[in-house]
Amino acid sequence: MKFGKELASQMVQEWQAAYMDYQGLKAVLKNHVAFRKNSAPSPPPQEASRSRSLKRRISMYRTFSGLNSLRGSPKKGDDEAILVSSVQQEGSDQSYYQTMFLRSSEEGGQIELEFFRKLDHEFNKVVKFYSEKVEQVKAEAEELTKQMNALIALRIIVDKPTAVAAQFSEAPATVAASVNGVKQGGLRLDAIQEVEMSSEGNDGDGEVTAKRNGDFRPASLDVLDHVKINVEPDTPASTLRNMVGSSKSDLSFSKDELTSAEEKLKQALNEFYQKLRFLKSYCFMNVLAFSKIMKKYDKITSRSASKAYVEMVDNSYLGTSDEVNKLIVRIEATFIKYFANGNRRKGMKSLKPGHKREKHRTTFFLGLFTGCSIALVVAILVSLHGRALLEPEERTKYMESIFPLYSLFGFIVLHMLMYGADTFFWRRYRVNYPFIFGFKSGTELGFREVLLLASGLSVLALAAVLSNLDMEMEPDTKEYSTLTELVPLTLVSVVFIITICPFNIIYRSSRYFLIHCAWHCICAPLYKITLPDFFLADQLTSQVQSIRCLLFYAYYYFSGDFTTRANNFLKDSNSYHILYIVVAIIPFWSRLIQCLRRLIEEKDKSQALNGFKYFSTIVALVMRTMYSQKQKDPSAMFWKIMAASTSGFTTIFNTYWDVVIDWGLLQRNSRNPWLRDKLLISNKAVYFVAIVLNILLRLVWMQLVLDFQISFLHPKGMVALIACLEILRRGMWNFFRVENEHFNNVGKYRAFKTVPLPFHYEDEKIM
């Protein structure tokens, strides 16, 4: 693999703008090669061959330089092309590096001068970014040190270890009171020792050297005098507590409080460790990149400038700083001691989760299920034709009663296929979607796993459809087989049971992540809003027809006689008509509440407009549904006008929001006119096609008002077709929405999650 591709694959994608522009420097060198090729006179073929032959003969009589000397190494001072120096900035303690090129008067020297100017710019950029990040992690290390002091002190009071039980002569209530009130008189417990993240002491192998008990700074209970618990509004209880009180609470010294603090601090240390690893990789890859580009320069120009420049890189802050390595060692020691009970293997497994391996059986079963799905589709088409189910009378009966039961699985499978395609393209264009969605490292589903689940579900659904195509009833009872009619309900039950199954099968972590986000969507005002929550709620807004299918299941099996395929509730049940509207509103209502909470918490006025967008969609949805239910009433024209006006407004509003806000496109003064400054796909036409398709698919909503029908398509089929088009639009929307979020992270160099810390120090000067 060429180094340029290796650098692109190894870099932290959110920091890509801070890496050395290897391809840009390589392009300058290519210009130099092209210049030399164009400016060099081309000798006649005979003279050229005679010149090469003469050089070979002369070289045989050149003075022998000895076996110990380096081949081709110039003498000291010979062929010196550059002088590298550090220049102090005026009015600042910072310095920058500047290279003086001594051969600018030679032919092609201006291109080489341009190369070194760009090289200096890139090096100073890298050094500045790295030094700033090192200062940030050092400050974070100090904060984590304070958090560890508080955690150890809290652990002493709650757990009361046997080794120090003699020092606790007071009752628990008295101890708690004395900690919060009277000073402990400098009580220190030598049995509990702390590895300080700001201390020195590594051996040559990079391990923490063993110290005697007296060398450690023992934990102190005094810190609890100045500590309160941070109450993050991320659960219903904490949200209500923040609404009626303060975001800080006094210590209760309970076991649950200790467990919660340990979990938060464990997560914070883990995230901090990943940041240190990425920072170490950033330093290594950039040092290697400067070495590679200088060797390429030497090779092209036949100079020996790489040694001086690489020596400068090695002596700079980028090459000499070892703070990151020291912090990595101390974080490992701290995590293993306090969160893995001294078990290094267990601790390192948490800090360095294994990379996800592609399994061959996933590809095998994906191909198997796909082939089975195609065969089942062919069998269903043959069965439909052979049993005369395409005749108008039989078709109407089937479409009214059975089609809504199975269309649910069609909508779900189609949405999974679109998500699988999205993950494929996100991975291809190096979009860090696991970080964006907050997946636990190594548990995210790739496109093969998603497509495997989709094909497996399609096999089950199609097999059930094939078994349910028998429309013959018993002549005496005029009923269908109960076993056959229960197939759809059984399939729904199986899918539901697998989704909530507690056993570690069929991607349990992903299933529970989905359940977790779905629960947050249902209880939107009571949980802190994160991107996975509102992203899932947006997906559900495109699955309105699936939610209505679930309502149809409930009434079909529990309110009527499913053995006769009776569906009188579609016309006679007022409660069904009301719930038909209510269940469709739920996803949009959830997004509206999420926007209101973000408006209150983040003070972001754009969330008010976003909430109004969903409110207008709710109004349009209600008006369209009322019109479809009252088409034969005298008031049908009124409902049609209301539905058309509200649907037109919300279509325009939603289309604008999709393209301009969610996708970040149509920026007039961007580097890519009418798109945005940064694009993943080099072919700009893709974005314009996506904009047009999004507009057209948004306008499909208007069909429900305009009553446009296809002659050979049943009305139920028309509704399903529109729902499928909306799912396709949502799949396309997903790709560009996550792309825009990715570039937002890149612009802010945001490559790590912000983990809330458990403790708050009242006096920031207390260590």
Side-chain angles (χ1 to χ4, degrees):
M1 181 186 293
K2 292 187 176 181
F3 180 74
K5 293 183 178 180
E6 182 182 355
L7 178 63
S9 64
Q10 294 290 333
M11 68 171 53
V12 181
Q13 294 303 317
E14 288 76 12
W15 292 352
Q16 55 183 313
Y19 280 78
M20 188 194 81
D21 185 9
Y22 184 81
Q23 296 298 337
L25 290 167
K26 191 175 175 181
V28 176
L29 293 179
K30 286 183 178 179
N31 293 338
H32 185 269
V33 172
F35 174 81
R36 291 179 61 181
K37 186 179 296 186
N38 294 333
S39 60
S42 54
Q46 293 182 355
E47 292 185 8
S49 60
R50 189 180 302 115
S51 175
R52 287 194 296 269
S53 177
L54 179 62
K55 287 182 179 179
R56 284 195 296 269
R57 288 198 300 268
I58 293 176
S59 64
M60 296 176 62
Y61 305 102
R62 184 172 294 167
T63 304
F64 182 59
S65 58
L67 296 175
N68 291 327
S69 60
L70 294 177
R71 179 184 175 187
S73 59
K75 297 179 181 179
K76 188 173 182 180
D78 187 26
D79 198 25
E80 188 174 0
I82 60 172
L83 290 176
V84 187
S85 59
S86 177
V87 181
Q88 191 77 20
Q89 291 183 344
E90 295 183 3
S92 174
D93 295 335
Q94 297 181 350
S95 60
Y96 64 94
Y97 293 90
Q98 187 174 12
T99 302
M100 181 181 297
F101 182 59
L102 305 178
R103 299 282 193 266
S104 58
S105 60
E106 295 181 3
E107 188 176 17
Q110 291 301 317
I111 298 179
E112 295 183 58
L113 183 61
E114 177 189 355
F115 169 79
F116 281 106
R117 285 175 179 172
K118 183 173 179 59
L119 186 67
D120 289 341
H121 172 75
E122 294 298 320
F123 182 71
N124 289 315
K125 177 187 73 175
V126 169
V127 171
K128 181 181 179 182
F129 180 84
Y130 182 72
S131 60
E132 289 176 353
K133 286 296 179 182
V134 169
E135 292 302 318
Q136 289 180 15
V137 296
K138 288 167 67 176
E140 291 178 28
E142 291 296 327
E143 180 61 31
L144 287 173
T145 301
K146 295 166 62 178
Q147 295 288 321
M148 284 299 300
N149 287 336
L151 177 68
I152 296 169
L154 180 62
R155 188 180 284 178
I156 292 170
I157 290 182
V158 174
D159 289 344
K160 290 188 175 60
T162 306
V164 296
Q167 301 192 37
F168 289 96
S169 58
E170 305 170 75
T174 309
V175 172
S178 63
V179 168
N180 286 324
V182 184
K183 293 279 183 180
Q184 296 295 315
L187 175 61
R188 294 183 178 275
L189 306 176
D190 294 333
I192 305 295
Q193 301 162 341
E194 179 181 354
V195 177
E196 292 210 29
M197 288 178 280
S198 59
S199 64
E200 300 293 332
N202 298 343
D203 57 16
D205 298 328
E207 298 289 338
V208 178
T209 56
K211 298 183 179 181
R212 297 183 179 274
N213 291 346
D215 294 336
F216 282 100
R217 188 178 69 181
S220 170
L221 299 185
D222 292 343
V223 296
L224 297 181
D225 294 344
H226 313 278
V227 168
K228 287 191 174 183
I229 292 291
N230 284 323
V231 181
E232 295 293 330
D234 51 4
T235 62
S238 59
T239 299
L240 295 176
R241 189 183 303 173
N242 272 5
M243 291 175 61
V244 299
S246 172
S247 61
K248 310 292 185 298
S249 66
D250 294 328
L251 294 168
S252 62
F253 303 101
S254 65
K255 192 72 176 178
D256 291 340
E257 186 177 68
L258 174 62
T259 303
S260 175
E262 287 177 338
E263 191 62 31
K264 287 183 178 180
L265 201 48
K266 182 179 179 180
Q267 187 179 1
L269 286 172
N270 205 318
E271 197 68 23
F272 183 65
Y273 184 76
Q274 305 312 317
K275 182 183 294 188
L276 293 175
R277 289 181 62 196
F278 283 159
L279 199 54
K280 180 179 178 180
S281 172
Y282 172 86
C283 176
F284 172 77
M285 293 305 297
N286 277 288
V287 170
L288 185 59
F290 283 108
S291 175
K292 291 285 186 180
I293 199 66
M294 286 305 301
K295 288 181 180 179
K296 188 174 289 291
Y297 169 81
D298 283 358
K299 182 179 179 181
I300 290 174
T301 62
S302 301
R303 302 190 191 279
S304 300
S306 61
K307 183 178 180 181
Y309 203 91
V310 171
E311 185 178 351
M312 181 273 296
V313 172
D314 291 337
N315 293 330
S316 68
Y317 185 80
L318 191 68
T320 59
S321 174
D322 62 344
E323 285 93 342
V324 173
N325 289 327
K326 290 180 180 179
L327 284 173
I328 287 177
V329 172
R330 290 163 193 157
I331 288 292
E332 290 176 356
T334 302
F335 194 90
I336 291 168
K337 182 172 185 179
Y338 292 104
F339 297 102
N341 200 23
N343 188 330
R344 180 172 181 81
R345 178 176 295 180
K346 179 182 176 182
M348 294 308 296
K349 186 177 180 180
S350 298
L351 289 174
K352 293 182 179 180
H355 293 287
K356 189 176 181 181
R357 294 181 179 179
E358 299 290 344
K359 299 179 180 179
H360 294 295
R361 66 169 178 260
T362 301
T363 306
F364 170 77
F365 282 110
L366 172 58
L368 177 65
F369 290 155
T370 303
C372 291
S373 299
I374 295 173
L376 286 170
V377 169
V378 174
I380 290 172
L381 294 176
V382 173
S383 181
L384 287 174
H385 186 270
R387 300 187 182 188
L389 294 181
L390 298 178
E391 298 296 328
E393 182 179 354
E394 297 296 335
R395 183 183 66 171
T396 300
K397 192 173 184 180
Y398 187 84
M399 294 296 291
E400 291 289 341
S401 300
I402 303 301
F403 181 76
L405 299 175
Y406 289 110
S407 60
L408 167 67
F409 300 101
F411 299 143
I412 295 175
V413 168
L414 179 60
H415 211 135
M416 293 174 70
L417 291 175
M418 293 303 298
Y419 179 72
D422 288 332
T423 55
F424 171 78
F425 286 108
W426 288 331
R427 181 167 294 183
R428 177 181 178 183
Y429 290 105
R430 296 190 178 93
V431 175
N432 192 4
Y433 71 92
F435 167 70
I436 292 174
F437 291 131
F439 295 138
K440 187 178 179 181
S441 179
T443 63
E444 71 278 2
L445 296 184
F447 70 94
R448 290 186 181 87
E449 290 85 356
V450 176
L451 296 180
L452 174 64
L453 293 175
S455 60
L457 181 58
S458 69
V459 168
L460 292 176
L462 291 171
V465 170
L466 189 61
S467 68
N468 213 185
L469 281 177
D470 187 4
M471 297 291 291
E472 297 178 1
M473 65 174 64
E474 293 293 333
D476 297 332
T477 61
K478 294 185 178 181
E479 293 182 351
Y480 296 91
S481 171
T482 303
L483 183 62
T484 304
E485 295 305 306
L486 283 175
V487 169
L489 182 62
T490 303
L491 185 56
V492 169
S493 302
V494 168
V495 173
F496 177 75
I497 291 172
I498 292 176
T499 303
I500 64 173
C501 178
F503 301 112
N504 191 15
I505 57 173
I506 314 180
Y507 310 115
R508 181 180 63 179
S509 59
S510 298
R511 290 189 283 109
Y512 277 27
F513 185 85
L514 177 64
I515 294 172
H516 180 267
C517 293
W519 178 251
H520 282 197
C521 293
I522 296 172
C523 308
L526 300 178
Y527 286 94
K528 186 176 180 63
I529 309 303
T530 59
L531 187 142
D533 299 336
F534 67 74
F535 191 85
L536 178 60
D538 278 326
Q539 307 308 303
L540 294 177
T541 60
S542 297
Q543 287 285 355
V544 169
Q545 209 56 39
S546 297
I547 300 174
R548 285 174 168 172
C549 287
L550 291 175
L551 178 66
F552 184 89
Y553 266 90
Y555 272 82
Y556 183 77
Y557 282 104
F558 303 107
S559 179
D561 187 5
F562 63 88
T563 58
T564 61
R565 295 185 176 173
N567 54 9
N568 297 328
F569 59 86
L570 294 175
K571 299 178 181 178
D572 303 334
S573 176
N574 290 328
S575 61
Y576 177 80
H577 292 161
I578 295 174
L579 290 175
Y580 191 76
I581 299 175
V582 172
V583 296
I585 290 175
I586 291 175
F588 299 98
W589 178 258
S590 176
R591 283 296 288 123
L592 172 60
I593 298 300
Q594 288 176 344
C595 292
L596 293 179
R597 167 146 183 172
R598 292 185 67 187
L599 173 64
I600 295 173
E601 282 189 346
E602 302 173 11
K603 310 300 181 184
D604 185 2
K605 295 182 180 179
S606 65
Q607 293 302 321
L609 291 175
N610 199 16
F612 178 73
K613 179 190 72 173
Y614 289 105
F615 177 76
S616 67
T617 306
I618 291 174
V619 174
L621 182 61
V622 172
M623 294 301 168
R624 287 201 304 265
T625 309
M626 292 297 296
Y627 169 65
S628 65
Q629 294 178 353
K630 297 182 179 295
Q631 286 184 347
K632 297 181 180 179
D633 289 357
S635 60
M637 184 54 66
F638 167 77
W639 291 110
K640 184 173 184 177
I641 294 173
M642 294 297 295
S645 58
T646 54
S647 297
F649 173 78
T650 194
T651 298
I652 295 173
F653 195 179
N654 278 272
T655 303
Y656 170 82
W657 198 273
D658 287 343
V659 177
V660 178
I661 306 300
D662 290 338
W663 294 357
L665 301 177
L666 294 184
Q667 297 180 11
R668 185 176 180 181
N669 298 321
S670 66
R671 285 182 293 182
N672 303 297
W674 297 106
L675 296 176
R676 67 169 104 87
D677 290 338
K678 296 180 180 179
L679 301 174
L680 277 181
I681 304 174
S682 57
N683 189 354
K684 301 176 185 178
V686 173
Y687 293 91
F688 291 107
V689 171
I691 293 173
V692 174
L693 283 177
N694 187 75
I695 295 172
L696 293 177
L697 293 175
R698 281 288 190 185
L699 291 174
V700 170
W701 291 1
M702 297 297 294
Q703 184 276 338
L704 298 175
V705 180
L706 300 176
D707 296 328
F708 175 77
Q709 295 291 338
I710 301 176
S711 58
F712 60 85
L713 198 60
H714 190 273
K716 290 286 185 182
M718 191 67 186
V719 172
L721 177 61
I722 294 174
C724 290
L725 292 176
E726 168 58 21
I727 293 172
L728 293 175
R729 188 201 66 81
R730 180 60 64 183
M732 180 180 66
W733 179 90
N734 289 344
F735 175 81
F736 295 105
R737 175 66 181 88
V738 174
E739 177 196 8
N740 190 34
E741 184 68 22
H742 170 71
F743 282 126
N744 288 337
N745 292 338
V746 169
K748 299 176 182 178
Y749 301 108
R750 186 169 52 203
F752 307 96
K753 294 185 293 185
T754 301
V755 180
L757 298 174
F759 302 108
H760 171 73
Y761 277 76
E762 293 293 318
D763 185 358
E764 294 297 333
K765 296 181 180 180
I766 299 295
M767 290 298 296

